[in-house]
Amino acid sequence: MELEIKESLLDQLEKQGYGKLLDVQEKVIPHMLSKKNIVVEAPTGSGKTLAYAIPILNMLTGDKSVKFIIMVPTK
């Protein structure tokens, strides 16, 4: 799957040891990149954090206004 992720971001992910996308990331990232609202439920350790973080980091610009809100329920 070819995603439009900035080369600089891909380089940094690779330097941090992230190679292949996990299942949840392959499903979530395209929706996030197309700027759709999304709710994801998956087990701990499934890759949700990067599924959200990669598109958010990819879409950030120098504009300082709020662009993203991640809501996480607590126990």
Side-chain angles (χ1 to χ4, degrees):
M1 172 186 322
E2 188 67 31
L3 300 172
E4 294 185 24
I5 304 291
K6 294 175 185 173
E7 194 65 37
S8 59
L9 179 55
L10 291 174
D11 290 344
Q12 288 302 314
L13 288 168
E14 188 174 320
K15 285 180 185 177
Q16 295 298 316
Y18 296 102
K20 184 179 182 314
L21 294 176
L22 300 175
D23 289 342
V24 70
Q25 295 162 350
E26 287 181 349
K27 293 174 183 170
V28 170
I29 291 173
H31 293 287
M32 293 278 299
L33 289 174
S34 65
K35 300 180 181 177
K36 294 180 182 172
N37 293 332
I38 187 165
V39 174
V40 178
E41 183 178 351
T44 300
S46 61
K48 293 181 303 295
T49 300
L50 275 181
Y52 285 117
I54 290 171
I56 289 171
L57 292 170
N58 193 66
M59 290 186 275
L60 285 178
T61 65
D63 182 2
K64 304 265 192 250
S65 63
V66 175
K67 293 184 178 28
F68 303 94
I69 297 175
I70 299 174
M71 298 175 60
V72 181
T74 59
K75 294 181 181 181

